[in-house]
């Protein structure tokens, strides 16, 4: 009886021979992990095989990677150990149980000027601090859908905590997405960048603005919802696979009925509510003060804290 081949590299996947493996490598799929998080359709198209066969290869890669983790208990320990990124405010860190967590999605929602983008900048800087010093010693993939990324502001924040501004900018990979498709593809193809550059934080600012704009323009509620759902799942998938943190922003609109037909739900609706591990509601207070509240978190107590947006960045 033929013994099942142990899967140690992409060549060992079902239906993948040396030539196919080479095609995979050239497209950036060099590890089993990368194949494990690929989409069947993308892989099918790339290799000229059926989606079913692509799915078989992906499933095998998933299984093989899981088994590897179990065998290497040290690797497992490290991968499963949740990392935290400091927000710059001790009060907010405490509220979050130490900071913004890896392996999950943190959503900040609130009106304009509530500080969602500023917090995204601060996390992009702080993630570069060493582990134990408020960071994860990693870089950031920053997906900017609103053209509000400001390198000058990043430099200010970096200087304020004693990091070299140039190094910090070099470790932030900015993608300016102008369509839903660009936003989705950036996330779907992020595996290679994450692995090569040691990305520990993905920021999507904002998660919903393009979806909202295109929905109004094109119609097709179900399709939009489905796409947003898949997009958010892929983000969660990356967070799990690479033990990284995902921070997304989301604006509150006056008439959410425009999006999903239910006037009581915020932008993105149930999809984000269910997918986000932690939801932060941010609102403006006097001058540079902002109030941050944790909303229906399964593992954190409800509560709110006041932060400040100072010239140095987010502080108590
Ligand atoms: P929208 O994207 O419009 O929904 O808003 P947002 O929630 O992303 O707001 P954002 O994070 O851009 O916060 C804007 C606020 O941060 C401004 O009102 C300023 O008070 C503050 N801010 C922005 N840039 C700076 C800066 O360079 N220095 C200081 N001290 N404060 C800034
Ligand atoms: Mg913003």
């Amino acid at each position: 009886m033929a013994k099942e081949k142990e899967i140690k590299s992409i060549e060992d996947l079902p239906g993948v021979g040396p030539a196919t493996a080479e095609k995979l490598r050239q497209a950036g799929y060099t590890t089993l992990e990368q194949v494990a998080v690929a989409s069947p359709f993308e892989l099918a198209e790339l290799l000229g095989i059926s989606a079913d066969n692509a799915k078989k290869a992906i499933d095998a890669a998933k299984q093989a990677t899981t088994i590897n983790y179990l065998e290497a208990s040290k690797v497992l320990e490290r991968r499963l150990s949740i990392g935290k990124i400091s927000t710059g405010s001790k009060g907010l860190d405490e509220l979050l149980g130490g900071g913004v967590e890896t392996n999950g999605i943190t959503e900040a929602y609130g009106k304009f000027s509530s500080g969602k983008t500023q917090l995204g900048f601060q996390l992009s800087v702080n993630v570069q601090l060493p582990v134990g010093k408020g960071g994860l010693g990693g870089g950031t993939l920053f997906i900017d859908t609103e053209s509000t990324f400001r390198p000058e502001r990043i430099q200010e924040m970096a200087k304020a905590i004693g990091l070299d501004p140039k190094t910090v900018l070099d470790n932030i990979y900015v993608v300016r997405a102008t369509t839903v498709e660009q936003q989705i593809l950036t996330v779907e193809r992020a595996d290679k960048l994450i692995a090569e550059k040691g990305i520990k934080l993905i920021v999507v600012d904002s998660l919903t603005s393009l979806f909202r704009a295109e929905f109004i323009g094109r119609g097709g509620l179900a399709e939009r919802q489905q796409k947003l759902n898949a997009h958010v799942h892929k983000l969660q998938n990356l967070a799990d696979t690479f033990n990284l943190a995902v921070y997304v922003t989301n604006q509150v609109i006056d008439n959410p009925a425009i999006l999903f037909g239910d006037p009581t739900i915020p932008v993105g609706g149930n999809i984000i509510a269910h997918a986000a591990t932690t939801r932060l509601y941010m609102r403006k207070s006097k001058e540079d003060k902002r109030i941050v509240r944790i909303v229906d978190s399964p593992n954190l107590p409800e509560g709110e804290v006041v932060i400040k947006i100072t010239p140095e960045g987010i502080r108590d």
Side-chain angles (χ1 to χ4, degrees):
M1 211 166 71
K3 214 172 134 223
E4 229 174 90
K5 194 163 66 169
E6 201 184 345
I7 295 173
K8 285 186 171 161
S9 72
I10 56 172
E11 275 91 352
D12 306 327
L13 290 169
V16 177
T20 314
E22 190 46 40
K23 261 194 210 168
L24 280 170
R25 285 211 173 82
Q26 276 173 9
Y29 295 95
T30 56
T31 66
L32 288 171
E33 279 180 2
Q34 287 168 336
V35 176
V37 296
S39 98
F41 297 105
E42 204 181 341
L43 214 62
E45 199 187 337
L46 176 74
L47 301 177
I49 58 177
S50 73
D52 265 1
N53 283 336
K55 196 169 175 303
K56 271 180 202 151
I58 291 167
D59 286 345
K62 277 188 185 147
Q63 225 168 0
T65 44
T66 310
I67 290 162
N68 283 345
Y69 302 159
L70 289 172
E71 284 166 351
S73 59
K74 280 264 158 60
V75 179
L76 176 72
E77 220 171 85
R78 205 181 57 215
R79 292 192 68 85
L80 291 187
S81 72
I82 289 182
K84 319 240 176 177
I85 308 168
S86 170
T87 61
S89 151
K90 285 209 176 76
L92 182 52
D93 286 352
E94 269 166 36
L95 195 65
L96 288 166
V100 168
E101 282 189 358
T102 60
N103 284 335
I105 299 175
T106 300
E107 176 206 359
Y109 70 93
K111 291 197 172 165
F112 64 93
S113 280
S114 55
K116 305 179 296 289
T117 295
Q118 293 295 311
L119 182 53
F121 289 171
Q122 190 71 61
L123 293 169
S124 303
V125 173
N126 287 4
V127 69
Q128 301 190 35
L129 288 164
V131 177
K133 298 258 157 77
L136 299 170
T140 301
L141 167 59
F142 197 109
I143 304 173
D144 176 19
T145 71
E146 301 190 319
S147 244
T148 49
F149 184 78
R150 294 285 174 272
E152 303 83 358
R153 183 62 174 143
I154 297 281
Q155 286 180 313
E156 261 177 22
M157 289 176 167
K159 269 187 223 154
I161 56 169
L163 293 177
D164 174 44
K166 174 156 191 321
T167 313
V168 168
L169 284 182
D170 284 346
N171 286 319
I172 301 176
Y173 298 85
V174 185
V175 177
R176 168 85 182 99
T178 55
T179 65
V180 164
E181 282 69 29
Q182 280 174 1
Q183 183 178 336
I184 289 173
L185 281 179
T186 302
V187 168
E188 278 184 0
R189 297 183 182 162
D191 309 67
K192 192 168 173 241
L193 182 84
I194 293 168
E196 278 175 9
K197 307 292 184 187
I199 300 295
K200 279 291 170 188
L201 170 69
I202 300 176
V203 176
V204 189
D205 184 21
S206 108
L207 178 70
T208 45
S209 59
L210 293 173
F211 282 89
R212 200 169 96 208
E214 290 195 21
F215 172 65
I216 291 166
R218 281 200 219 162
L221 170 72
E223 191 199 339
R224 282 288 152 268
Q225 213 157 353
Q226 205 177 25
K227 277 197 179 173
L228 183 58
N229 194 21
H231 182 54
V232 169
H233 272 93
K234 179 68 193 185
L235 284 167
Q236 179 63 53
N237 197 326
L238 292 173
D240 291 336
T241 309
F242 296 100
N243 190 19
L244 55 78
V246 174
Y247 172 80
V248 304
T249 69
N250 191 3
Q251 233 202 13
V252 168
I253 49 169
D254 286 333
N255 184 3
I258 292 170
L259 229 210
F260 292 118
D262 178 346
T264 63
I265 53 175
V267 181
N270 297 325
I271 288 167
I272 303 167
H274 289 150
T277 322
T278 307
R279 306 191 91 191
L280 300 174
Y281 176 43
M282 299 182 71
R283 60 190 205 274
K284 238 183 132 156
S285 181
K286 288 201 183 91
E287 289 146 16
D288 57 354
K289 295 198 183 72
R290 299 291 185 277
I291 302 160
V292 188
R293 163 189 283 275
I294 293 199
V295 186
D296 46 60
S297 162
N299 51 356
L300 293 169
E302 292 248 326
E304 54 178 44
V305 69
V306 179
I307 60 165
K308 269 184 167 181
I309 305 176
T310 75
E312 290 78 36
I314 307 276
R315 295 293 184 272
D316 282 300

